[in-house]
Every structure is written in C-alpha cells, then in structure tokens.
Amino acid sequence: MNRSKRRNLKGVFGLLAVSVVTLGLAFALLGPPILAKGLKYEVFADDLEDVSALAFDRNGDLYATLEKTRGRGRVVHIRQGLVRTVLDGLDKPDGMLLRGDTLYITGETGDHGLIVYESGKVRYLDHLSGTEGIASAGEEKILVVEDRKQDGRLLSVNPSTGEVEILLEGLKQPEGVCQSPEGHIYFVEKALHNLSVYADGQYTAAATGLESPAFLNCLADGSVLIAEDRTNFGRLLRYRDGGIEVLARNLRAPQTVVIGADGAFYLSEQRRNRILKIYER
C-alpha cells in the first residue's frame, strides 16, 4: 500500500473515531434516562420550567416549585395533567415540605429564608438565609440546611415559635437533608461528595464518592434516596445497608424524588423541565 492510500485510510479512521465519540456524547446529552433492571419510566408532567421540589398532599395531588429567580419563581399544583399556580412572586424557591395543609418553602436567594404558606396566607422566617434542603423532624420541628460554601449550617426549626437550633455549622455547601425512621439525620455536602449521618451530637460519613449530591429522601425501610444534581450524567441513587445502588442515570439535573401512593418514584428533572414517574415493570 502506497503512502497516499495509507494517509487516506488514516483520515477515514480518524473521521470514524470522531463520529463515534460525537454520537456517544450526543446520546449522553440528549438520550433518554437509563434505568436499573426491572424499572421503567414515563413522563408524568412536562413544560415545567426549572422544576425543583415536589410534594404530594393527602389527596394524592402533586405540588412543585419552579426555581426561577427575580420574583418569577412559583409553586404550582398538578392534578390530572392540569397545572395551576398556587403561589408566585418567589425568588428561587428550592426545597419544599408539605405537612397537613401547610407548605414550607426554602429560598436559596432573596430576602426570605423560609416561607410558610397556609390557608392562602404567607408568613416568613427571615433569620435564615441561603436555605435549600428541608425535611420533617417530628410533629413540631423541621430540618433545614443553609447552602453556603464554607459556613453552611444544619438547623432544627420550630416554625410555630420561630425558634432555631444550630445542630452543625462550618459545612461546605450542604444541600439535602432528611431524617430516618430511627431519628438519624442524613445530609449531603455538595463540595465534599459525601453522604453523612448525624446522631447523638456527632456526624460521620455514611458513603463517599458521590458526584454533586443534592436532594435526599429517607424512606420507611431505612434506605435513603439521593439525587445527584449534575447538568449532564446525573443519577438517582439509593443508599442501603452501607452500599450505593444506581436506580437511574443519564439524567439532566435531577432534583427531588418523592414516593407516590402507588409506590412509584416521582423525580423532577430540571434541565428537561419535566417530572418522571419511575416504577417497577
């Protein structure tokens, strides 16, 4: 084979290699979620720009926050495919907790660290800032994390009295929090890629090697759902018995995952402006 033909073949193989890499990257960015064996998904709701937090009410209706800035953020109510605005004029509403008929909404930016919405009325707890993850902690208190780079805090808040107890401080970008049935508090620090557990005044790493961990959901069986908030290649994980199981990958900025009355996982996928329903085949 002469030199000219060898150059031509090298050029062809080079183009093929570039094409394969390009197609692989396009699939990773634009392709569908890839689920663990035995699971499948469908789109539950879409056209929800910057969808973030989710919460089911006692009737099985779903609430969601749309995490937009500059007073354009909203809380919406979803029933049988119909979406209506419940609360608007918010600045980057992020986390949300629904207890009874009361909504608790965290604000990552803006003047109000915690918004309480009940019976059409709004009140604020303004001595919190940069709040993100929120979870129930018994009948009277809620857990909140303040997402700061170096001085993040894990807080216990009594929303009736406004009393705030600092459980931990000096955290690095804490984002998600939840409390297990036995009372252990799990939280993630996005900058450290860890899942940590707080109990008896101390905390330790329960799992390491996570990538941009964000939302947490402690389940009744003692396991913990973890969403990795990555614009590309995001994953939905489950921590159980000291190990990590991948439930879904190739997600685009997954945020909150909650369990419906039907036992399915409902997951907000922010960069695709939709909510997925993930369930067993």
Side-chain angles (χ1 to χ4, degrees):
M1 184 181 297
N2 61 41
R3 186 175 301 175
S4 177
K5 287 184 177 180
R6 284 199 297 269
R7 282 200 301 267
N8 289 338
L9 282 175
K10 286 182 179 179
V12 170
F13 287 134
L15 287 173
L16 285 174
V18 170
S19 297
V20 169
V21 171
T22 301
L23 287 173
L25 182 60
F27 178 82
L29 296 179
L30 304 175
I34 301 171
L35 274 62
K37 185 177 180 181
L39 297 177
K40 64 184 301 184
Y41 80 93
E42 61 187 51
V43 177
F44 175 76
D46 57 8
D47 294 326
L48 299 168
E49 190 174 4
D50 292 326
V51 62
S52 182
L54 305 176
F56 278 105
D57 69 10
R58 65 187 74 187
N59 299 314
D61 295 342
L62 189 61
Y63 288 78
T65 60
L66 305 186
E67 193 184 352
K68 301 181 72 64
T69 60
R70 300 179 181 176
R72 297 174 296 135
R74 295 186 289 152
V75 176
V76 298
H77 170 267
I78 305 169
R79 176 189 289 170
Q80 297 179 348
L82 299 177
V83 179
R84 68 176 179 87
T85 298
V86 174
L87 187 63
D88 59 9
L90 305 178
D91 193 5
K92 206 168 173 45
D94 200 339
M96 180 171 56
L97 174 66
L98 178 58
R99 293 206 304 197
D101 297 321
T102 304
L103 276 170
Y104 301 93
I105 305 150
T106 60
E108 191 174 353
T109 61
D111 298 328
H112 307 301
L114 184 63
I115 301 168
V116 184
Y117 180 75
E118 184 176 21
S119 302
K121 297 181 180 180
V122 177
R123 61 185 176 91
Y124 306 101
L125 294 178
D126 292 338
H127 45 287
L128 308 175
S129 64
T131 54
E132 192 153 342
I134 184 171
S136 182
E139 295 182 1
E140 295 184 354
K141 296 184 178 181
I142 59 178
L143 298 169
V144 176
V145 289
E146 293 179 324
D147 180 13
R148 302 172 182 172
K149 287 187 177 180
Q150 299 296 331
D151 59 346
R153 300 189 299 175
L154 169 62
L155 308 172
S156 174
V157 180
N158 186 326
S160 298
T161 64
E163 180 184 359
V164 176
E165 179 186 1
I166 301 172
L167 301 180
L168 288 172
E169 53 190 341
L171 303 177
K172 296 176 173 59
Q173 291 184 272
E175 292 207 359
V177 65
C178 66
Q179 182 168 289
S180 69
E182 65 269 23
H184 294 167
I185 298 172
Y186 287 88
F187 65 94
V188 286
E189 293 173 270
K190 197 170 185 177
L192 297 183
H193 314 295
N194 292 342
L195 171 69
S196 298
V197 57
Y198 173 84
D200 301 323
Q202 303 291 329
Y203 75 96
T204 57
T208 59
L210 306 178
E211 293 290 337
S212 300
F215 180 82
L216 299 182
N217 189 351
C218 290
L219 303 185
D221 63 0
S223 64
V224 182
L225 297 176
I226 307 166
E228 291 182 327
D229 182 10
R230 302 167 67 188
T231 301
N232 302 304
F233 313 116
R235 299 186 298 174
L236 173 62
L237 311 173
R238 178 163 51 197
Y239 169 80
R240 180 164 52 186
D241 298 329
I244 294 288
E245 173 188 7
V246 179
L247 299 179
R249 54 191 175 91
N250 208 41
L251 301 169
R252 299 204 67 199
Q255 300 293 302
T256 302
V257 57
V258 294
I259 310 297
D262 56 0
F265 300 148
Y266 290 80
L267 173 70
S268 54
E269 194 179 12
Q270 191 170 81
R271 288 295 172 260
R272 287 190 173 115
N273 299 326
R274 66 185 185 178
I275 300 170
L276 301 181
K277 176 183 177 180
I278 300 174
Y279 55 97
E280 294 183 354
R281 296 175 182 270

